[in-house]
């Protein structure tokens, strides 16, 4: 059994008299007791008179109608020094225009519309416009290469895609295999030469022709809003589909967990291509009508501190790898004025206690760990501003959410022992509504009345949850989820490779790195040059972030008698751990 509770001295006690602002939740226990999703929905979501809803209306238009049209919705810092701001009213008009533009391309409710852009404002305009009209919006990370793109665009049968001249060549290569992709919209920003063709249309042309008025689609809470492909142990990435009503949990958690208040300047560092960027870089903050910052530049300690200082960020939501990089950097925090910061949160991978203690020391504020998943659509277990922090713990369930540690029969484990982290699905308001075209996969998440997260964890006597690891082979590198199968598939495309087994190897900075064990064709020599070649291949064909940082050539992969690669054994060997049960193993 794991050590359940750290020493008392490690606990960060909260002193309510020291808060610069009273937190939105002032007592966890009573909030948990009193909370119901029904009440919260009445408070936080605006329905149309006919009882229907639209997430984008809740993010933008209703604030304009409530007199907040001139409030800044977005502060944008471009990679080349661009500095732009957009009010809620401006975003209302732009997103209406874009919804009209999509309509002119025959996009209808339920059609899949995909966004493949870097972090530029047009990405948000496209996202909002797509929601307004009722299309199912898919966002993709700009580091994706053709293998990742084709999986997503072909499985979803995306009809229209928006991208730019820099990213378009990756689409051009695969378009012939995407019969459903009718047109590509090109955003002109940032490039002189634009691609041309009968099925290519331009953002500016479309917007110039489009009216600033749009009749927003009246939808049911369960109508689909966005979809994100995410990786599991086996097979290709799966399309996790969310609904318009899921904005409720996004708003509730932005308010109660991120503690965002009306005059805050909020910065979520996640990319819109991942779920944190969608839920906490769009749905939640704009659902609450607050000002948020968006930065296009890649991570650098200087750049981030400068941005925090210049835009006077008050609430900051980021990820452990970034925090550890800041921690390890020689850039001095005291050279910047970060006095506006008042609340810090983290997500995506385990937040180590050292990072919490470090931030407490250097910023005077601890990072608050939050736990959730793409499938859940919103923070589900977390540390609240009012709650004492046990560094290393993910905290407690969100009001409304029932979480537990269960054994493989669904029986709750109560003695602080490790087990499966599970949630009662009906208590997670924003839980996924479907796995696109894959009912079997969807059903596989649910057992004995629980939603099984695939994470292993334990709960201590005070009700705090502690993350232990994944129950499956999913890799988390720099907070991003990578499926070993996709990396293996990419490696075996290389002519030198017979087969490959891929694992996540613990790494102090990145949480995990991707390590590949590769079997070469007879006669091929496993040189360092070949390692670099294989790495470059995955980077260029699958995705820039999903390549193996380490490669080891081996003679044979451990497999079950039915031929399945036993990654668990590769990992155990790598880490020098006991091999466990090997009875199903073929000769190895
Ligand atoms: C991991 C990201 C430890 C976990 C929002 C989960 C975490 C997976 C934490 C989901 C945390 C997320 N502590 N592990 N606070 N938050 N994870 O879908 O393994 O990209 O199952 O969603 O990330 O990753 P996803």
């Amino acid at each position: 059994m794991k050590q359940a509770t750290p020493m008392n001295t490690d606990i960060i006690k909260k002193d309510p008299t020291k808060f610069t602002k009273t937190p939105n939740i002032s007592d966890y226990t009573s909030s948990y007791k009193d909370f119901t999703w029904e009440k919260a929905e009445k408070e936080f979501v605006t329905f149309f008179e006919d009882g229907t809803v639209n997430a984008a209306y809740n993010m933008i238009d209703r604030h304009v109608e409530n007199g907040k049209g001139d409030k800044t919705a977005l502060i944008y810092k471009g990679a080349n020094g661009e500095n732009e701001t957009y009010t809620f009213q401006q975003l209302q008009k732009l997103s209406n225009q874009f919804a009209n533009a999509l309509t002119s391309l025959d996009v209808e409710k339920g059609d899949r519309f995909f966004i493949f852009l870097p972090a530029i404002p047009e990405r948000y305009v496209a996202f909002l416009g797509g929601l307004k009209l009722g299309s199912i919006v898919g966002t993709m990370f700009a580091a994706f290469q053709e293998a990742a793109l084709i999986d997503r665009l072909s499985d979803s049968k995306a009809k229209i895609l928006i991208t730019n001249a820099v990213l378009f060549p990756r689409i051009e290569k695969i378009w012939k295999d995407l019969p459903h992709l009718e047109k590509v919209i090109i955003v002109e920003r940032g490039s002189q030469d634009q691609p041309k063709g009968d099925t290519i249309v331009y953002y500016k042309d479309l917007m110039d022709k489009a009216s600033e008025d749009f009749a927003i689609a009246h939808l049911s809470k369960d109508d689909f809003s966005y979809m994100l492909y995410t990786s599991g142990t086996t097979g290709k990435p799966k399309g996790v589909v969310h609904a318009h009503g899921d904005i409720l949990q996004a708003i509730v958690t932005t308010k109660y967990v991120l503690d965002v208040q009306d005059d805050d300047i909020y910065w979520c560092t996640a990319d819109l291509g991942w779920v944190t960027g969608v839920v906490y870089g769009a749905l939640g903050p704009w659902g609450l009508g607050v000002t948020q910052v968006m930065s296009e530049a890649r991570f650098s300690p200087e750049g981030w501190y400068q941005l925090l200082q210049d835009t006077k960020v008050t609430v900051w939501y980021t990820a452990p790898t970034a925090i550890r990089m800041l921690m390890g950097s020689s850039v001095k925090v005291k050279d910047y004025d970060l006095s506006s910061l008042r609340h810090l949160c983290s997500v995506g991978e385990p937040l180590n206690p050292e990072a919490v203690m470090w931030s407490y020391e250097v910023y005077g504020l601890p990072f608050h760990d939050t736990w959730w998943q793409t499938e859940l659509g919103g923070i589900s277990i977390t540390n609240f501003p009012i709650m004492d922090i046990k560094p290393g713990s993910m905290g407690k369930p969100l009001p409304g959410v029932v979480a537990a540690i269960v054994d493989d029969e669904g029986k709750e484990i109560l003695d602080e022992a490790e087990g499966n982290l599970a949630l009662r699905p009906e208590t997670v308001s924003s839980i996924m509504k479907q796995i696109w075209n894959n009912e079997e996969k969807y059903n596989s998440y649910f057992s004995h009345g629980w939603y099984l997260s695939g994470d292993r964890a334990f709960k201590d006597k005070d009700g705090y949850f502690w993350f232990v690891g994944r129950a499956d082979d999913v890799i988390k590198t720099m907070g991003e989820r990578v499926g070993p199968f996709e990396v293996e598939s990419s490696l075996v495309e290389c002519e030198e490779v017979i087969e490959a087994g891929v694992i996540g190897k613990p790494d102090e900075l990145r949480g995990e790195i991707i390590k590949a064990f590769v079997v070469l064709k007879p006669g091929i020599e496993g040189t360092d040059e070949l390692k670099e070649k294989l790495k470059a291949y995955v980077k260029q064909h699958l995705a820039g972030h999903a390549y193996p940082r380490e490669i080891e050539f081996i003679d044979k992969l451990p497999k079950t008698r039915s031929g399945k690669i036993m990654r668990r054994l590769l990992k155990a060997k790598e880490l020098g751990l006991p091999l466990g049960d090997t009875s199903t193993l073929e000769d190895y």
Side-chain angles (χ1 to χ4, degrees):
M1 202 185 93
K2 297 274 158 180
Q3 174 76 33
T5 318
M7 306 217 312
N8 262 349
T9 48
D10 277 335
I11 292 179
I12 298 178
K13 289 268 176 204
K14 297 292 182 59
D15 176 355
T17 62
K18 297 254 168 68
F19 287 119
T20 49
K21 271 187 175 173
T22 311
N24 286 328
I25 276 195
S26 54
D27 179 354
Y28 171 74
T29 312
S30 66
S31 297
Y32 192 88
K33 208 165 106 254
D34 296 343
F35 183 92
T36 68
W37 286 114
E38 291 71 30
K39 273 196 289 184
E41 189 174 86
K42 284 207 181 72
E43 187 180 344
F44 293 115
V45 180
T46 306
F47 286 81
F48 299 118
E49 271 176 15
D50 59 2
T52 59
V53 74
N54 188 298
Y57 171 81
N58 275 274
M59 294 159 76
I60 304 292
D61 302 67
R62 66 167 169 167
H63 306 307
V64 179
E65 288 167 16
N66 292 337
K68 290 201 328 191
D70 291 336
K71 183 173 178 178
T72 300
L74 180 65
I75 300 171
Y76 168 66
K77 301 277 182 193
N80 301 309
E82 300 91 336
N83 203 352
E84 298 170 15
T85 59
Y86 296 79
T87 63
F88 280 96
Q89 183 158 42
Q90 284 170 322
L91 284 188
Q92 178 184 39
K93 289 183 179 162
L94 288 166
S95 56
N96 280 350
Q97 280 176 286
F98 195 78
N100 280 315
L102 284 180
T103 309
S104 74
L105 299 175
D106 294 329
V107 178
E108 291 174 1
K109 181 185 163 192
D111 284 344
R112 273 75 62 211
F113 161 56
F114 269 65
I115 303 178
F116 183 43
L117 281 172
I120 55 175
E122 288 81 356
R123 208 184 192 194
Y124 284 106
V125 171
F127 184 74
L128 291 164
L131 292 183
K132 281 193 166 177
L133 137 147
S135 66
I136 305 172
V137 187
T139 62
M140 298 189 296
F141 190 40
F144 286 160
Q145 300 286 350
E146 70 251 40
L149 295 167
I150 201 161
D151 285 348
R152 288 159 174 80
L153 295 170
S154 60
D155 183 71
S156 64
K157 297 195 171 61
K159 182 170 175 175
I160 303 285
L161 172 91
I162 185 167
T163 185
N164 69 5
V166 176
L167 300 175
F168 177 72
R170 303 181 203 168
I171 301 295
E172 201 174 18
K173 271 192 218 158
I174 57 173
W175 201 343
K176 61 178 183 331
D177 299 317
L178 298 169
H180 298 92
L181 184 61
E182 292 177 6
K183 288 216 166 71
V184 170
I185 306 170
I186 299 288
V187 178
E188 295 90 338
R189 184 195 284 264
S191 310
Q192 297 294 330
D193 296 325
Q194 309 300 342
K196 294 184 180 55
D198 293 348
T199 43
I200 289 177
V201 285
Y202 303 96
Y203 180 80
K204 273 209 195 81
D205 289 351
L206 288 171
M207 294 293 272
D208 285 349
K209 278 189 252 156
S211 158
E212 289 178 353
D213 296 315
F214 181 76
I216 297 178
H218 285 208
L219 304 167
S220 96
K221 281 196 288 197
D222 296 328
D223 278 330
F224 298 153
S225 55
Y226 72 95
M227 70 192 297
L228 276 169
Y229 278 80
T230 196
S231 304
T233 299
T234 52
K236 305 239 183 219
K238 312 285 186 302
V240 174
V241 189
H242 285 283
H244 279 258
D246 294 357
I247 196 171
L248 171 60
Q249 190 163 337
I251 296 176
V252 164
T253 46
T254 304
K255 175 145 184 167
Y256 291 153
V257 180
L258 306 179
D259 198 48
V260 173
Q261 305 189 19
D262 210 33
D263 55 353
D264 274 313
I265 307 284
Y266 164 80
W267 184 29
C268 167
T269 61
D271 187 274
L272 197 72
W274 304 112
V275 76
T276 307
V278 170
V279 179
Y280 295 106
L283 299 177
W286 284 339
L288 269 186
V290 300
T291 304
Q292 65 162 332
V293 175
M294 182 180 109
S295 168
E296 187 191 3
R298 289 173 71 103
F299 171 84
S300 80
E302 294 89 342
W304 276 30
Y305 285 144
Q306 195 68 48
L307 186 137
L308 288 168
Q309 172 179 297
D310 292 351
T311 53
K312 297 192 169 49
V313 170
T314 55
V315 177
W316 183 24
Y317 195 22
T318 190
T321 295
I323 301 167
R324 288 190 290 263
M325 285 180 167
L326 291 170
M327 218 172 134
S329 132
S330 57
V331 175
K332 293 203 174 52
V333 177
K334 64 175 173 23
D335 289 346
Y336 297 84
D337 176 6
L338 305 182
S339 56
S340 47
L341 282 178
R342 71 168 186 88
H343 187 51
L344 316 181
C345 293
S346 161
V347 66
E349 42 172 333
L351 179 64
N352 44 320
E354 299 76 26
V356 179
M357 297 316 288
W358 173 79
S359 86
Y360 196 34
E361 200 181 304
V362 298
Y363 307 128
L365 300 166
F367 269 98
H368 292 71
D369 195 10
T370 69
W371 176 90
W372 58 294
Q373 309 178 295
T374 306
E375 292 87 339
L376 297 173
I379 296 169
S380 301
I381 294 179
T382 189
N383 289 279
F384 294 85
I386 195 71
M387 228 166 73
D388 294 342
I389 294 180
K390 297 190 184 188
S393 159
M394 307 190 292
K396 296 188 180 185
L398 184 78
V401 169
V402 175
I405 306 298
V406 302
D407 64 17
D408 291 344
E409 276 69 55
K411 217 168 122 270
E412 205 169 335
I413 298 174
L414 296 166
D415 61 356
E416 305 194 337
E418 182 192 319
N420 303 305
L421 176 53
L423 307 167
R424 287 288 182 208
E426 67 283 5
T427 69
V428 184
S429 154
S430 60
I431 198 165
M432 62 178 167
K433 303 302 175 275
Q434 199 182 80
I435 294 285
W436 189 252
N437 271 338
N438 198 335
E439 205 179 331
E440 192 188 334
K441 175 68 191 172
Y442 176 81
N443 291 336
S444 73
Y445 282 91
F446 305 95
S447 159
H448 302 281
W450 294 104
Y451 163 85
L452 295 174
S453 67
D455 284 357
R456 305 276 297 167
F458 65 89
K459 182 171 132 179
D460 72 17
K461 60 181 181 348
D462 299 323
Y464 283 76
F465 285 76
W466 298 75
F467 180 82
V468 175
R470 283 291 301 180
D472 59 18
D473 298 331
V474 167
I475 300 166
K476 263 289 168 131
T477 180
M478 305 179 80
E480 281 152 12
R481 195 160 151 180
V482 174
F485 177 78
E486 294 159 74
V487 184
E488 290 160 1
S489 305
S490 187
L491 283 166
V492 298
E493 282 168 17
C494 300
E495 55 181 9
E496 298 88 348
V497 176
I498 296 186
E499 54 184 6
V502 165
I503 61 162
K505 175 177 172 180
D507 180 84
E508 270 198 13
L509 193 60
R510 298 180 174 85
E512 287 183 317
I513 56 161
I514 301 171
K515 169 149 191 180
F517 295 87
V518 172
V519 181
L520 294 174
K521 287 199 180 134
I524 304 271
E525 208 188 325
T527 60
D528 285 348
E529 290 77 58
L530 183 55
K531 284 184 186 170
E532 293 312 310
K533 186 178 163 198
L534 300 182
K535 287 180 193 177
Y537 183 89
V538 180
K539 247 191 217 179
Q540 283 158 18
H541 293 267
L542 177 63
H545 68 287
Y547 74 97
R549 279 180 190 265
E550 265 185 39
I551 292 183
E552 187 175 325
F553 297 117
I554 55 172
D555 295 337
K556 200 172 175 197
L557 290 176
K559 284 196 194 147
T560 59
R561 283 187 205 105
S562 58
K564 224 173 86 183
I565 299 171
M566 290 191 80
R567 303 189 188 101
R568 179 175 64 77
L569 284 189
L570 288 172
K571 196 156 180 167
K573 280 192 131 181
E574 177 69 32
L575 305 181
L577 299 172
L579 296 187
D581 179 11
T582 53
S583 58
T584 59
L585 198 63
E586 73 167 11
D587 259 1
Y588 180 58

